Amino acid sequence: APDDLPPDRRKMDPPTEEGFDDDNELTFVKEAPEVNGLVEQIKDALEGRDPADGTSTISKTVFHRIQEIVERYQEYPTLLDPHLDKWILPLTSVLRREAHKGSEADMVLVQRASRVLHALASVRGYKTVVKFFPHEAKDFEPVVALLVRSHDVGSLATNMEETDELGSAWETRATLILWLSILVLIPFDLVTVDSQVTTNTGIDGAAMAKSGGQQEAPPVVLRILALCQDSYLRDPGIVRDRAAFLLAKLLTRPDMPLALQKFLVWATDALGGQSEYSEQEKMFIVPGIVRALAATFKLGKRSELLEVAERLWTNARDLADSPAAKASTLTRKLACKLTQRIGLLFLKPRVVSWRYERGARSLEDNLKRAMIISQGGDADAEERKKADEAAKEQEEEEDWDIPEEIEEVIEALLTALRDKDTVVRWSAAKGLGRITARLPAELGDEVVGSILDCFLPTENDNTWHGACLALAELSRRGLLLPVRLPDAVPHVASALAYDVRRGPHSVGAHVRDAACYVCWAFARAYAPEVLAPHADALAPSLLIAACFDREVNCRRAASAAFQECVGRLGAFPHGIDIIQVADYFSLGSRTKAYTVVADHICGYDEYRRRMLNHLCDVKLIHWERATRELAARAISIVGRRDPEWIREVALPVLLDRSLSTNLEARHGACVGAAEALFALKNAGEPCVEGELATKVTSLVTAIEKARLYRGKGGEVMRAAVNKYVQCLASVSQPLDKGPGPATGPKSLRSTLLASLEENLKHPTVDIRDSAVSAMGEFAASYMVGSNPAAGAKRLIVKLATVLREDQNPAARRGAALALGVMPREMLFSYVPGFAAEAPAEENTDAEADPEMIPAWRMALEALKAASIPEEDVEARDADARVCATKGMAGVLCRMANNLVEDDYAATSQAASEVISSLLTCMEDYCTDNRGDVGSWVREAAMEALPGAISALQASGLELATARCATIVSALLKQCAEKIDRTRASAATALCAVLRGRESDNLEPLPDVPGLDRLLDAAPTEERLAASWAVPTSAYAALTPLIVADGSDPLAAYRADLIEGIVVSAGGVGDSLGKASGGALVAAVKADPALQETVANELVDLLSRRQGVDRVTVPLLRILDLLFSSGALTSVAPAHPDPPNAFAHTLAENLRAELKGSRDVAKLCHGVQALSHVAALGPNVVNSDRCARTSGLQGILALMVSRYPRVRRVASEALYVLLLGLDEEAAGEGIEAAIELLSDTRWDAELTTVKPERNKLYPLLGLEAPAAALEAAKGPGVKVKVVDENESYAALVGSA
């Protein structure tokens, strides 16, 4: 293994080049060589060696790069351990060198190094990093001086850059304080290293320390105390925490008793309100003081601190109840921490003899115990005897002096267990564990009892969570004795399932997670024989949490606890087999946990009934609908292993609960009963009989009688009833066993069918879709039988009628989807066709019988008509067209399923018609206020197209080459669409038709023009088609398919491909336009022959799509892009060379497209396109077809547009155009035209603008149109005769 791997990872497989193992986890610091090189640069600069660039300073980027690399390992901090020594020493050397410089220290360099060291301390932990700091006595005073100097960094900066880099220098102070926390641990009196002692007294510090003459703390210590008290302890950031750590290390030294007493007096005064701090100052300084006191009490001697403990306990108690603590989580946590430290001061340090210890502390004792067990002896008897004797002796000898304050301390910690914040509860749990470890057995048992009392149903979730944490701490320390386990285990099992509803959600995930931690702690704390009696209670509860918990962290925590119990105890049945399936990754998916992991576990009898009962009694009444439905699905999978439980327990309970007044209970019971029936079918069991069968078949009727479709939850129950009917039909439960007649309009079958038909019309998607699924199963089970024609007449004719005539869009959607799930036996039946509308003059007295037609023909005709947008825009419904498209695919799929020879002709005919309709649907570009809703129809058509081609192939027909080219061309056009989702769907369909799809039995299309190059461009697999949603990936693959040679097979796709790219490139999306337009421009520029082809295609597209703004507006933008980028230089060269013949046609088409348009943006883009055409040279071959003349005419026409903005844009474009032409090209009047354009305000009134525009015609050498000359004459003045009595105002005026 590599040397730079941490010790705990060296036994693993070597990492990959990227630093990841097979599980995609980092295994080493892959940037270590780079950091080592940067550190070497720092070393070279410190040692005076010139680095490679010849400078002796350390670059800012060196420190920044190291910091950036270190911060990447926040989640893998231990990987830094092998490198800490090599990296920290050079960085601290920078601080060390600058500290010894005194007032000449470079604070900018200090700040840079401190930032890196602070990053290391933040990532790896300051207690680990500080061990690598130098700790020589000579550095003590310089570091303190450098710390003092860091307060004046604002005045030390020489420029703005240094001011910004230094900031407040809090990283410098945090790092220097951390360094001081190890420097104060030097193993001799601090007075010996204080130079001011010798300077002020003239006595050597070492001699003073030896004589004991020092009464006060050394000046350097007093300076540190002053800095901490006056500044650092009130800092709101990390400096406060580091200062508290420093004070604890400093004041607990043996030579600091006076300084400790002085600090304690100051701290107690500050906490007791005897100081002069304001309330705002207390908000910051109190947490610092409390943290420093807690750390001091942790490290100090009990004899020195006990005398102030009582006073501080009063302050700590008052602090915990203060308004400041109620408003601050940090204050409450620190108050709890201080409380437990004071409590530990009240009790003598001791290891109580009554605690439980697992095993022996020596290997020899363990081996002796194993030998006794192997010989059949009782290894624990002797140990118990010795333990009892030792306990008795110690109880008699020890003097248990328990102060009265201990009861208050424990009560305060028990109260903190109920705190609303986790960090406070966690601190209280650890405090209870530490204090209980110093109490006698009787008091310790009382603490355990108080914690167990927290598991009352009336307590809130915070109390349960705190109690779980406390139990885990007590068990880890051996303070929860085995005799208490029968009391604790039931509470832990209850906590594993704790879930309390609160409004629209529930609470309890943190409780369940903590309960898993308790189980994990039990496994590590107790011997197998101690915990074995409780395995039956813990194992099922852990597995239920691992499989069925809503939160992924709880499922994984339960799995980890179960694995720990199996590994250490071995008392859980089938534990090894289960943990191989219920691992960390398999439980990450809730669906997999419910359906796969739970199914495996229920294969063992010990767990099956507990898990099934939990699903039935708990999860099916869960507040979340998705959880209830997933639990029902789990019952259908797991329940097949226990049909007896389904019949005797699940179905009776769930059928009765389905009529409950509680919405969650009845919905879960309904879907649970449905899946329970399906579980019986999966188990190969017959349908239910007797009284249970009556209840099963009449449930829907009972729900409707109870009017549970109304009010709150009615929609939820509709979906549940649909699911129930679907499962009822899928198991073919006889319906003639229920109440009422077996057949007829009031029969149970008719009632269920009417319920489904009503739900088909519902506007809610999930209700409609569930009704469609149920309708398909119902028709197959109850409507086919011996007379499928009757079923077809009842269902297919009615659904087709609704689809053709019903004005309700929701009803049409449901009918279209329902037609797609009809059984093939009904589709091939004959039904009466729709009567043709007879002319009014014909005699209609005798109605002729309608012609009998195949049901599939009726269904397809209705679906094809419904997939076409209506003439009335207001009546259009995109969702109905989507459903009709899916319905066509469904009808064809069922016709092609299990084909017989007699059905080949009908299937091939239906497939051909469906393919044609799908190609028509792929041209649906309807829009509404939601945007391009036609894209939904296009995507549905593309999803259905491979299945339709597969059905055609199954019927024995092959597509012609021209038809194949049409299909591929349509797909390529969609592949170039501007919507990312649509491109991905088109790429998926294209890959399927070109490469085949095994799941649909689809063979690749054989006669596709240019197949080899299409395969190179298309995705290699359907799952990779999603990459075409990224514009850069799609258009880079599509533009090479545009060819110039008309005889090339790929030329068949050119027109549609260019149209798709134009619409995308000319859209409003910036990234999409850059990707598609850039790809097109690059392809056209690279091939001069392609320029003429693309230019002609654009002209044809403009003519073909005239008036379609969806295409023409992007096309105008693309023309501007192509001309501006010089991509058409071969067909439109610069003046004076004449352009290609396409230019005049383009100009004429542009003028025709812009004529009469009211879209201002479109007109402005048209001006730009016309200006490019007008800038071309004259046509010397045919002057009548001059593109320049036509372009100028178009611009001049737009200069008198009704829209001022268009007039202004047109005039500016013409002005720029004329400036770019010479006099010989434009005529003698160019200067006058330019002057006229600049002097006229073209966004003024039209009466002012038109005469000025008409003056431009002769100046530009153009003949003015007749309409312009007529307008120049001006309208004649008509005198209006006013009737004196025309208005009431006239009468008033005459009066």
Side-chain angles (χ1 to χ4, degrees), residues 625-681:
R625 177 180 176 181
T627 299
R628 298 195 298 269
E629 294 175 348
L630 192 54
R633 182 180 170 189
I635 286 180
S636 70
I637 295 173
V638 177
R640 78 184 194 282
R641 297 182 179 273
D642 198 345
E644 182 182 357
W645 180 84
I646 294 290
R647 290 178 183 275
E648 298 180 0
V649 179
L651 279 176
V653 171
L654 294 176
L655 291 173
D656 292 339
R657 198 192 295 164
S658 298
L659 301 177
S660 170
T661 56
N662 181 274
L663 172 61
E664 289 81 9
R666 67 173 180 263
H667 172 261
C670 190
V671 294
E675 295 290 0
L677 292 173
F678 200 70
L680 290 178
K681 178 183 178 182

Side-chain angles (χ1 to χ4, degrees), residues 79 110 321 355 385 407 480 484 577 587 657 665 670 682 688 706 708 747 812 912 922 1089:
L79 299 184
V110 170
D321 297 332
R355 69 174 183 166
K385 183 178 179 181
E407 185 176 351
L480 182 65
R484 272 294 196 172
D577 297 331
L587 296 175
R657 198 192 295 164
C670 190
N682 292 338
V688 296
L708 298 181
S747 66
R812 295 203 305 271
S912 298
M922 290 170 64

Side-chain angles (χ1 to χ4, degrees), residues 665-736:
R666 67 173 180 263
H667 172 261
C670 190
V671 294
E675 295 290 0
L677 292 173
F678 200 70
L680 290 178
K681 178 183 178 182
N682 292 338
E685 294 287 319
C687 298
V688 296
E689 299 176 349
E691 183 181 354
L692 184 60
T694 303
K695 296 177 69 175
V696 166
T697 55
S698 60
L699 177 61
V700 177
T701 305
I703 290 175
E704 292 180 347
K705 283 184 178 180
R707 298 185 176 181
L708 298 181
Y709 288 163
R710 302 183 180 181
K712 177 185 176 182
E715 294 184 354
V716 177
M717 286 304 299
R718 285 182 181 274
V721 168
N722 291 336
K723 182 66 176 178
Y724 184 82
V725 175
Q726 178 185 356
C727 291
L728 197 70
S730 66
V731 301
S732 300
Q733 177 71 33
L735 298 182
D736 53 357

Side-chain angles (χ1 to χ4, degrees), residues 87-101:
W87 295 352
I88 292 177
L89 186 58
L91 293 169
T92 54
S93 298
V94 174
L95 300 183
R96 192 177 188 181
R97 186 187 68 174
E98 298 302 323
H100 284 276
K101 287 183 178 179

Side-chain angles (χ1 to χ4, degrees), residues 781-1109:
S781 297
Y782 302 123
M783 304 296 290
V784 176
S786 59
N787 188 10
K793 185 177 180 181
R794 170 66 179 82
L795 284 180
I796 295 181
V797 173
K798 184 174 182 179
L799 292 172
T801 303
V802 170
L803 189 58
R804 288 165 55 99
E805 301 175 1
D806 202 314
Q807 299 301 315
N808 182 6
R812 295 203 305 271
R813 298 171 199 164
L817 291 175
L819 284 173
V821 297
M822 291 294 103
R824 68 183 310 275
E825 293 84 358
M826 293 170 59
L827 290 172
F828 282 105
S829 302
Y830 279 79
V831 296
F834 293 111
E837 296 183 2
E841 63 273 8
E842 290 186 8
N843 185 10
T844 58
D845 294 338
E847 294 185 0
D849 294 335
E851 180 185 0
M852 301 297 290
I853 61 174
W856 66 264
R857 166 62 62 191
M858 176 177 286
L860 280 185
E861 291 297 332
L863 290 168
K864 286 161 56 180
S867 65
I868 300 174
E870 292 82 354
E871 294 291 339
D872 184 7
V873 177
E874 296 296 329
R876 292 177 181 176
D877 183 64
D879 292 304
R881 298 199 299 276
V882 171
C883 294
T885 305
K886 294 180 178 179
M888 284 190 290
V891 169
L892 187 57
C893 177
R894 279 154 180 76
M895 291 179 65
N897 188 25
N898 298 324
L899 274 177
V900 295
E901 187 175 354
D902 295 340
D903 300 335
Y904 279 7
T907 303
S908 61
Q909 182 181 0
S912 298
E913 295 179 6
V914 169
I915 291 175
S916 299
S917 296
L918 293 178
L919 292 176
T920 303
C921 291
M922 290 170 64
E923 294 295 328
D924 190 335
Y925 288 93
C926 295
T927 59
D928 61 12
N929 57 359
R930 296 171 291 180
D932 185 7
V933 294
S935 63
W936 306 343
V937 184
R938 300 198 301 274
E939 290 168 17
M942 289 185 288
E943 291 175 4
L945 187 58
I949 298 174
S950 175
L952 185 66
Q953 293 174 349
S955 66
L957 286 184
E958 293 292 341
L959 287 170
T961 302
R963 194 65 177 277
C964 291
T966 303
I967 293 173
V968 174
S969 181
L971 290 175
L972 287 174
K973 178 181 175 182
Q974 298 303 318
C975 285
E977 269 292 332
K978 59 184 177 181
I979 302 177
D980 296 345
R981 186 188 65 250
T982 305
R983 288 199 305 275
S985 298
T988 302
L990 181 64
C991 181
V993 300
L994 294 181
R995 303 183 186 276
R997 180 184 289 173
E998 186 176 354
S999 60
D1000 291 342
N1001 295 322
L1002 173 63
E1003 298 293 332
L1005 293 182
D1007 299 325
V1008 177
L1011 179 61
D1012 294 339
R1013 282 176 285 175
L1014 287 174
L1015 289 175
D1016 293 338
T1020 55
E1021 299 178 21
E1022 289 188 37
R1023 63 182 182 85
L1024 301 178
S1027 63
W1028 282 40
V1030 180
T1032 52
S1033 300
Y1035 296 105
L1038 290 174
T1039 49
L1041 299 179
I1042 304 175
V1043 294
D1045 188 1
S1047 61
D1048 193 301
L1050 292 178
Y1053 317 123
R1054 188 170 56 205
D1056 284 337
L1057 193 55
I1058 288 179
E1059 180 176 348
I1061 294 177
V1062 163
V1063 173
S1064 299
V1068 295
D1070 187 36
S1071 60
L1072 177 67
K1074 286 181 179 179
S1076 54
L1080 180 62
V1081 169
V1084 172
K1085 275 186 173 183
D1087 186 2
L1090 189 60
Q1091 295 183 16
E1092 182 177 358
T1093 302
V1094 170
N1096 292 328
E1097 288 290 350
L1098 294 178
V1099 173
D1100 293 341
L1101 177 61
L1102 185 60
S1103 175
R1104 188 170 69 251
R1105 299 293 187 182
Q1106 185 173 353
V1108 182
D1109 287 353

